[in-house]
Amino acid sequence: MNDEKNKRMERIQKIRNFIQELEDIKESIIKFLNTRLKLDEVTKNLWISDVKDFYYNTVSAWEMLNNAANGNLKCVDDSKNFLHLARGQLAKSISELKFYKEELVSNLIKEVEINFEKCWNAFYFEFESLTPINKSIKPIPRVIKISSFEYHLPCSVCGKISITYKIGPDWLDDHESLVYIGITHSRSLRKDLANMLFEILDNENLSGVHQFMLKYHSLEGLDAYCPECDKIYCWEHYNAKEDYDDGFYDCTCGECPNGHRRMIDD
Ligand SMILES: [Zn+2]
Ligand SMILES: [Zn+2]
């Protein structure tokens, strides 16, 4: 047992070395941005802080992984959250750097992508070894009815609550509305739609919920839903990735465990 732990600690130390490489690349990017004379100060500072955010989120992911390996298994989820934040932040940074067409920049982008992927895979190896997927005895329900005013949709892989619908106060005022909390965003929908939706939910008709969202919410429908699988996935199991265009949020795409891809937020 101890031997296994030692090996794990060695591997985790190796990830720290990968992160050291990321730090060097981060410094090169900052140096590059700092020497752009035509880049205005505000944009420069923004872009530098984006690349720093990417790096420090990766470091935090590592710290949480280290805690988890030392027995605090609750930190696995925190580590995953930081790692996913880092991936989104990196996509943002890269979309900014692509403003420059120099070879130096495309090399830095290539390098940071390769190194981050190495980190990502190493992290996921540890996540899986720390939390063996317990072929749960209890099947995961499609819909969980909390009350006549609140429903949850769990991830079909891990059971994590991915969608919440409830009658509650609006974001802006005290009016009650039908609140939707998805994996990419939250929104208030008209309260008078609740009866129709709740009936669909009572029938555990996920495709019906998706149709409802297509009609009353957006062209992407229910963000956590894969129509081809007819299943719900959490952010992690939908492998959700944010896309950026010149540093601005563009959309989020998901790829389910069966390889079905679609845009889930725009
Ligand atoms: Zn999941
Ligand atoms: Zn699918």
Side-chain angles (χ1 to χ4, degrees):
M1 202 58 198
N2 253 341
D3 199 35
E4 197 181 306
K5 198 186 170 194
N6 286 340
K7 274 188 187 154
R8 172 178 294 141
M9 285 326 216
E10 259 173 47
R11 289 196 309 266
I12 289 178
Q13 199 47 51
K14 239 191 200 158
I15 301 180
R16 195 66 188 84
N17 299 339
F18 292 158
I19 295 176
Q20 188 59 48
E21 287 172 42
L22 286 176
E23 176 162 31
D24 296 343
I25 305 171
K26 174 202 72 162
E27 286 306 318
S28 303
I29 293 173
I30 291 174
K31 197 171 149 205
F32 173 83
L33 290 171
N34 266 328
T35 48
R36 293 314 94 184
L37 298 174
K38 285 184 187 158
L39 188 62
D40 68 272
E41 282 303 307
V42 176
T43 311
K44 185 182 289 182
N45 290 335
L46 207 67
W47 289 4
I48 288 176
S49 93
D50 284 341
V51 73
K52 283 186 182 168
D53 278 353
F54 150 68
Y55 172 72
Y56 288 111
N57 276 314
T58 314
V59 172
S60 301
W62 184 84
E63 281 163 359
M64 291 299 134
L65 176 65
N66 198 37
N67 288 346
N70 281 308
N72 194 351
L73 284 178
K74 277 187 198 149
C75 291
V76 169
D77 271 348
D78 296 327
S79 180
K80 281 182 184 173
N81 286 341
F82 280 119
L83 194 64
H84 281 260
L85 278 175
R87 180 165 74 172
Q89 205 65 40
L90 177 60
K92 186 166 191 268
S93 266
I94 288 176
S95 79
E96 292 157 353
L97 289 170
K98 280 190 172 159
F99 176 76
Y100 296 100
K101 309 294 175 210
E102 282 102 317
E103 203 185 339
L104 171 69
V105 177
S106 54
N107 286 339
L108 282 172
I109 291 176
K110 235 180 273 167
E111 230 183 302
V112 74
E113 279 178 332
I114 291 169
N115 276 284
F116 185 67
E117 197 184 334
K118 258 200 292 190
C119 274
W120 180 277
N121 293 335
F123 268 102
Y124 263 86
F125 183 86
E126 301 309 328
F127 293 155
E128 269 150 39
S129 91
L130 284 166
T131 48
I133 301 167
N134 41 354
K135 292 283 170 212
S136 60
I137 320 124
K138 265 205 297 187
I140 296 167
R142 280 167 73 79
V143 176
I144 301 170
K145 184 171 184 171
I146 303 294
S147 72
S148 357
F149 309 103
E150 182 166 349
Y151 291 76
H152 294 174
L153 304 182
C155 170
S156 57
V157 178
C158 68
K160 183 174 177 176
I161 301 308
S162 306
I163 302 282
T164 298
Y165 285 108
K166 62 181 176 194
I167 300 289
D170 204 327
W171 305 110
L172 302 172
D173 49 47
D174 281 340
H175 280 97
E176 284 208 317
S177 68
L178 171 58
V179 177
Y180 160 70
I181 304 166
I183 54 171
T184 58
H185 64 276
S186 305
R187 202 57 51 80
S188 291
L189 304 169
R190 277 163 35 212
K191 192 187 167 192
D192 63 297
L193 294 170
N195 281 346
M196 189 201 308
L197 175 70
F198 290 172
E199 197 181 319
I200 302 170
L201 284 164
D202 281 332
N203 291 322
E204 302 194 350
N205 176 4
L206 297 179
S207 158
V209 179
H210 183 52
Q211 295 305 322
F212 171 92
M213 293 300 277
L214 286 171
K215 189 164 177 193
Y216 297 107
H217 176 53
S218 72
L219 290 172
E220 289 72 40
L222 186 58
D223 60 3
Y225 178 69
C226 174
E228 281 157 278
C229 296
D230 187 33
K231 281 179 178 163
I232 295 290
Y233 298 109
C234 67
W235 175 275
E236 187 192 356
H237 289 112
Y238 217 150
N239 199 10
K241 271 188 205 164
E242 292 149 331
D243 271 337
Y244 290 86
D245 209 3
D246 297 334
F248 293 100
Y249 175 73
D250 185 26
C251 62
T252 303
C253 289
E255 181 175 346
C256 83
N258 295 315
H260 307 132
R261 288 173 58 92
R262 75 178 189 98
M263 193 183 284
I264 56 173
D265 182 50
D266 190 13

